[in-house]
Amino acid sequence: MNALRAFEAAARLGSVSRAAGELNLTRSAISHQLRLLEQDLEVKLVKREGRGIALTAAGRRYARQVERALRLLRERPAAVDMPALTGSLAISCVPGFASFWLCRQIGDFHATYPDIQLRIVTPRALGDVVGPAADIYIAFGHGDWPDRWVEHLTGLEFFPACSPGLLNKVGGLNTPEDLARCTLLHLVDPTDWRRWLAAARVRGVDPDGGVMFSDIHLAMSAAMAGQGIIIGDALVCGEALRQGHLIRPFAQTVSGTGDYYLVAEHDVVDRPEIVVFQTWLRDRLTEDLGTMLPPKGQTP
């Protein structure tokens, strides 16, 4: 806690000296706490800039998390006397987002609001936002749902990903042209590979060759088993990248053909259980997508 308080103050004030003054500590004590935190996290959080300090990219992301955590701790005494939030919440979520991200995170929401009865379903189509099965929808599209409350969640960048075993098997992938030695894995059709190869200006690689899959889970299973190389994104491939089951051989990305949105009927968005879910989802996505992948231009 001392290290977190020192980091939060230094990050907010942009100065070790000012942080020391605010916390009634010496400059060396603040610097020591910052070093301990960086050693514990195994990541560089701050760098010297003139007479002050500046946060690294990782430091800026972590500072937001620490500020929220400390704020929640300060607010906890007031929340103790508040009645528990109850009710039910049915969430319709597109399959890839649900299985590769939401289902890995939803335990945190349930732990925070244990008296809200949750139900998660998947729609027939990515842009389906109608029907009595759900209170709120996480949908994929362009945001054009008339007569609905719509909030943009995130867009995604797409990139090739493969298993370390495949990389070794083909003798490495030094340039995108080396993809000619790999089996391309497609979700439904070759559109994603066509767009990426065009953006990377690759010649000599057939975008229509390879294996087609009707489901993202099948394509991911094949990729992690070393059967070929997939076009993925931070939501679908994030955990596999963190665990080392997949790697990014190239930094080139291409934007998606749509974005993810929260969609609901106008008369339900002010329900308390929907309000807290919206807030939780936005915060969790901001934190997680910022740490899932290395900066563009870097290969894990």
Side-chain angles (χ1 to χ4, degrees):
M1 285 300 298
N2 288 335
L4 291 176
R5 291 176 64 238
F7 173 65
E8 187 277 332
R12 174 167 40 82
L13 299 171
S15 165
V16 170
S17 296
R18 291 183 206 165
E22 180 175 288
L23 298 177
N24 293 317
L25 296 172
T26 64
R27 291 182 74 259
S28 61
I30 296 292
S31 297
H32 178 65
Q33 292 293 347
L34 294 179
R35 286 194 298 271
L36 286 178
L37 188 59
E38 290 180 327
Q39 291 171 10
D40 185 56
L41 297 174
E42 297 181 349
V43 65
K44 189 71 174 174
L45 298 173
V46 299
K47 58 185 178 181
R48 289 201 169 275
E49 189 172 87
R51 294 187 175 182
I53 61 169
L55 299 178
T56 64
R60 288 192 295 272
R61 292 193 297 268
Y62 194 60
R64 290 193 294 268
Q65 297 177 36
V66 170
E67 191 277 330
R68 279 194 294 269
L70 293 177
R71 186 177 67 247
L72 286 173
L73 289 174
R74 288 192 294 267
E75 292 174 353
R76 182 60 186 169
V80 169
D81 296 328
M82 294 176 61
L85 193 59
T86 61
S88 63
L89 180 61
I91 305 160
S92 173
C93 185
V94 292
F97 193 114
S99 58
F100 290 105
W101 193 86
L102 183 61
C103 290
R104 297 177 184 271
Q105 307 287 338
I106 199 63
D108 177 76
F109 180 82
H110 179 66
T112 306
Y113 303 101
D115 296 312
I116 294 179
Q117 186 178 12
L118 285 172
R119 185 163 60 92
I120 298 174
V121 300
T122 55
R124 295 179 181 178
L126 298 181
D128 188 0
V129 295
V130 296
D135 301 303
I136 193 166
Y137 298 80
I138 299 174
F140 184 83
H142 301 285
D144 50 351
W145 290 281
D147 303 322
R148 294 286 189 278
W149 173 87
V150 179
E151 178 179 275
H152 182 262
L153 280 178
T154 186
L156 293 173
E157 297 289 316
F158 289 80
F159 48 82
C162 65
S163 72
L166 177 70
L167 203 63
N168 294 331
K169 180 180 177 181
V170 301
L173 294 171
N174 298 314
T175 68
E177 284 73 18
D178 293 335
L179 288 167
R181 304 197 302 265
C182 300
T183 299
L184 304 186
L185 306 179
H186 305 278
L187 178 60
V188 181
D189 60 46
T191 299
D192 289 340
W193 269 114
R194 288 175 184 168
R195 295 178 69 246
W196 189 88
L197 291 169
R201 299 180 180 179
V202 179
R203 296 181 178 181
V205 178
D206 181 9
D208 299 330
V211 182
M212 305 284 179
F213 296 90
S214 64
D215 184 275
I216 186 59
H217 299 86
L218 303 178
M220 278 289 289
S221 294
M224 288 193 287
Q227 301 303 299
I229 185 164
I230 193 175
I231 292 289
D233 60 70
L235 284 172
V236 169
C237 296
E239 186 64 21
L241 287 166
R242 272 199 298 254
Q243 298 296 326
H245 301 309
L246 292 178
I247 60 174
R248 283 179 61 179
F250 309 113
Q252 174 73 47
T253 65
V254 62
S255 59
T257 56
D259 290 349
Y260 288 99
Y261 294 84
L262 267 180
V263 187
E265 297 279 0
H266 285 286
D267 58 358
V268 304
V269 292
D270 291 329
R271 281 171 43 187
E273 60 271 25
I274 290 181
V275 171
V276 295
F277 178 73
Q278 293 171 36
T279 302
W280 172 85
L281 182 62
R282 285 194 300 267
D283 289 347
R284 199 73 175 182
L285 271 176
T286 299
E287 293 173 10
D288 209 40
L289 290 183
T291 58
M292 274 184 176
L293 301 175
K296 292 180 185 178
Q298 295 185 14
T299 303

